[in-house]
Amino acid sequence: MVVMLDVAAVGKRYGDTQALEAVSVAVAPGEVLALVGANGAGKSTLIKCVAGLVRHAGAVHVGGIDVARRPKQARRLIGYLPQQPALHAELSVRETALFYADLKGVPHDRARAGVEAVGLGEYADRPAGALSGGMRQRLALAIALLADPPLLVLDEPSAGLDIAARLELRRLVHEQRARGTAVLLSTHWLEDVPYIADRVLVLDHGRMQSLGSASEFEALAAPTSRLYLRLNGRGPEAVPLIRELLPEHAVEYAGDWLVVTCAAARKAGVVEAVVEAGIAILDLRVEELAAGTAPPGPGGMAL
Amino acid sequence: MSAIRTVARKELRDAASSRWLLGFAATFAVMALALSLAQGGGGDSRDGFTRTTAGLVNLCLLLVPLLALVLGAGALAGERERGTLASLMAQPITSTELLVGKFVGLTLAVWAAVALGFGSAGLAIALLHPVAAVGEYLQFVLLAAGLAMTMLSVGILVSVCSDGRMKAIGMALVLWFFFVLFYPLAAIGLALALSTSGETLLVAVLANPVEGARILAIVGLEPDLRVLGPLGAYLVNELGLPATTALLLTALAAWTAAPLALANGLFARQDY
């Protein structure tokens, strides 16, 4: 297998805490690997090892280049989106993009186009410090994509994003995968995983718990969610769409709410289908139910 | 080189919009101008420049180390505190390039501020007198520029060793107090009380770049043993003027290179 990212027996210790222990995984061009695990599982630490931001045991190679020995050359191949994008507050959006373009050796025209592509064109003169969290995330994403890197490393890219932005992120990952970009991303949103990733690495207290395909992960994880949607009277239009998507799952009404009980990993797909059908979601609530529990009904009327 | 240039340009830009630096430049310019007007009014033109330069020595030895230490201390600690250090180090840039880029940018910024101060003073004297003794004046400007580099280098070492900007600036102020205020009064007195051997005096001079710069400035202006102080007088007596000048310039260069090299080594071994 051609490998873009090769992580071999990587370990990292912070004081007395073993944050990462003997993690080995490889990512091929055009493949998306999702890192999942609880807080403190080691996802961000592994991502920082890959980006060459922390010293660690073991070896990380990107495109065959040892990140520890030749960090500059390796980072030319990496587009990195940190968990909490930190930008120089005093630089404007445009100046930020141009600064990072200079560091990456990318022409300024492409930096300006990158700002436009993430929808920040009209905010180009606004200081980065005055951007909302979502806008900062988009600017950081534009920077990560500036040099068309063959490896994209995204640390919790969907954290703090609204539903539309999360769907947009999915599209972006799909596009990158189609272009042959290898993608390593961490996420708390388990339901995103089957839609966004080819394989899943589950970390627990810094150790590899499992590594397998996204469909295996979906079957293994399979917690249940109950999704409450207020659709402003357009429930009857949404029901067939949802039934088509989830033929085996319950769809019910509870007052104004349309209630969908499904595998947690599928609920984002429900929202995506409804939004793409042009049905506005007035309100949305989610109840997460433990894996394998038989959920009690919402007390509504079965369809 | 392009990464160094990019970082240096950003540092220069940040410095240009920094209230700290603008305030310093304005204060320095006003005080230097006041000194030149007060001292350059009488005597011949050579005296005008010489007297003003002598007055500027103390001003420069007080303010330039303060500005350079504080700016250097904030350089990397500030990036680390804001979280931008990781964003920078995730780019195709080495830790050495980032550090050198910061050093170059900040050096140019301090030089610009110092040039504004000396430029104002020089212009004022030149307007009052026909131009003479300009060489000594320019020598001192170069010495101030060199001292700024030295103190920036020490400040950047402090920055690398600190995990927060305020902690780094606090440490920089302690160092400034030690080098500029405490050392000439207490440390040298203590050294002389303990031993008056040549080695002790030599170590006392070389251990403080600000003291070295002070002696160099006086040697350049008027090597009078009364104003050189015990350390300077000892050096000039023992080594002669050319060797003293060469020794102090070498010490200043070493004080610039060593902290920067140490900072570079430590920074390369850190997590970002």
Side-chain angles (χ1 to χ4, degrees):
Chain A
M1 177 174 89
V2 180
V3 170
M4 177 49 66
L5 170 65
D6 184 22
V7 174
V10 165
K12 174 67 184 174
R13 176 177 280 279
Y14 290 111
D16 293 335
T17 307
Q18 187 73 44
L20 218 52
E21 192 172 342
V23 173
S24 297
V25 69
V27 186
E31 184 185 27
V32 180
L33 176 74
L35 298 175
V36 301
N39 285 337
K43 304 186 296 292
S44 290
T45 303
L46 179 57
I47 279 180
K48 284 179 181 171
C49 291
V50 169
L53 296 176
V54 295
R55 294 160 64 78
H56 57 80
V60 176
H61 288 84
V62 175
I65 298 171
D66 188 329
V67 174
R69 288 174 191 274
R70 297 169 63 202
K72 182 175 179 176
Q73 287 78 1
R75 289 187 200 120
R76 280 196 194 289
L77 306 178
I78 302 173
Y80 169 64
L81 177 71
Q83 188 171 359
Q84 290 167 330
L87 302 163
H88 293 97
E90 68 284 358
L91 293 185
S92 71
V93 168
R94 181 186 296 108
E95 288 167 337
T96 301
L98 296 183
F99 171 64
Y100 282 98
D102 285 341
L103 283 180
K104 289 170 185 275
V106 170
H108 284 188
D109 286 351
R110 276 175 64 186
R112 292 191 190 94
V115 168
E116 293 286 343
V118 294
L120 291 177
E122 61 182 300
Y123 304 101
D125 294 320
R126 185 179 287 191
L131 296 178
S132 69
M135 287 174 168
R136 265 205 305 276
Q137 182 95 345
R138 278 191 272 160
L139 180 54
L141 190 61
I143 292 166
L145 294 170
L146 263 179
D148 290 332
L151 173 64
L152 205 50
V153 179
L154 312 174
D155 195 356
E156 298 282 358
S158 50
L161 297 185
D162 58 24
I163 291 173
R166 276 175 67 194
L167 296 177
E168 186 57 38
L169 181 73
R170 280 190 192 184
R171 279 192 207 100
L172 180 131
V173 172
H174 288 166
E175 277 172 25
Q176 291 295 321
R177 175 166 48 192
R179 294 172 63 168
T181 307
V183 181
L184 173 70
L185 62 88
S186 65
T187 182
H188 266 101
W189 297 94
L190 301 186
E191 64 272 31
D192 279 353
V193 169
Y195 293 94
I196 214 166
D198 300 304
R199 288 194 301 146
V200 182
L201 170 59
V202 182
L203 291 173
D204 182 31
H205 292 93
R207 294 197 182 96
M208 292 176 67
Q209 194 178 60
S210 69
L211 174 62
S213 70
S215 55
E216 286 168 351
F217 172 77
E218 185 181 14
L220 269 175
T224 307
S225 291
R226 187 172 292 136
L227 191 61
Y228 294 78
L229 300 161
R230 273 184 61 204
L231 303 176
N232 201 21
R234 297 185 67 184
E237 293 173 58
V239 169
L241 292 171
I242 298 169
R243 282 246 162 96
E244 190 182 342
L245 190 70
L246 307 168
E248 74 284 11
H249 289 74
V251 185
E252 301 163 303
Y253 278 118
D256 289 344
W257 298 88
L258 183 66
V259 184
V260 182
T261 306
C262 62
R266 309 298 299 273
K267 65 176 178 286
V270 173
V271 174
E272 189 173 12
V274 171
V275 170
E276 283 187 348
I279 301 172
I281 299 176
L282 293 184
D283 202 355
L284 173 75
R285 281 198 291 136
V286 179
E287 273 178 26
E288 298 295 354
L289 308 164
T293 49
M301 182 178 65
L303 294 170
Chain B
M1 282 304 285
S2 115
I4 293 176
R5 197 168 51 236
T6 301
V7 173
R9 204 166 45 219
K10 181 181 175 303
E11 283 304 311
L12 202 54
R13 176 204 178 283
D14 290 350
S17 56
S18 148
R19 273 174 288 182
W20 248 98
L21 197 76
L22 292 176
F24 170 86
T27 305
F28 198 83
V30 167
M31 292 178 79
L33 209 57
L35 262 173
S36 61
L37 292 174
Q39 299 186 334
D44 64 24
S45 58
R46 182 178 173 77
D47 284 349
F49 261 102
T50 305
R51 277 203 307 272
T52 304
T53 308
L56 284 173
V57 167
N58 290 326
L59 183 64
C60 175
L61 293 181
L62 199 70
L63 292 184
V64 169
L66 176 65
L67 176 75
L69 275 169
V70 169
L71 279 179
L76 290 161
E79 299 277 8
R80 195 187 299 278
E81 192 170 272
R82 290 190 297 267
T84 45
L85 185 59
S87 301
L88 285 171
M89 289 309 298
Q91 309 308 320
I93 183 170
T94 63
S95 55
T96 302
E97 286 173 331
L98 180 63
L99 192 119
V100 172
K102 291 257 174 198
F103 178 72
V104 170
L106 290 174
T107 296
L108 294 175
V110 178
W111 282 0
V114 169
L116 191 66
F118 281 117
S120 316
L123 194 66
I125 307 165
L127 288 174
L128 289 170
H129 305 279
V131 176
V134 179
E136 288 170 4
Y137 190 76
L138 289 180
Q139 259 181 37
F140 180 58
V141 174
L142 288 176
L143 182 63
L147 181 62
M149 286 176 78
T150 303
M151 290 291 110
L152 269 173
S153 173
V154 175
I156 284 178
L157 176 59
V158 169
S159 196
V160 166
C161 297
S162 307
D163 52 11
R165 187 165 179 270
M166 291 318 292
K167 205 184 276 185
I169 289 176
M171 186 66 205
L173 291 175
V174 168
L175 282 176
W176 175 78
F177 178 81
F178 176 79
F179 282 139
V180 177
L181 302 179
F182 176 78
Y183 195 91
L185 299 173
I188 293 176
L190 193 64
L192 290 174
L194 290 173
S195 164
T196 50
S197 72
E199 289 79 9
T200 309
L201 293 173
L202 190 61
V203 168
V205 175
L206 300 181
N208 183 355
V210 180
E211 182 63 19
R214 188 187 71 80
I215 295 171
L216 266 174
I218 296 169
V219 161
L221 282 174
E222 194 174 352
D224 184 334
L225 296 184
R226 286 168 303 174
V227 290
L228 272 171
L231 303 183
Y234 164 78
L235 281 182
V236 173
N237 271 337
E238 289 294 313
L239 306 175
L241 261 182
T244 298
T245 305
L247 177 71
L248 292 177
L249 283 175
T250 306
L252 209 56
W255 263 103
T256 306
L260 204 59
L262 184 58
N264 187 41
L266 292 173
F267 188 47
R269 285 164 182 74
Q270 289 179 345
D271 290 344
Y272 311 112

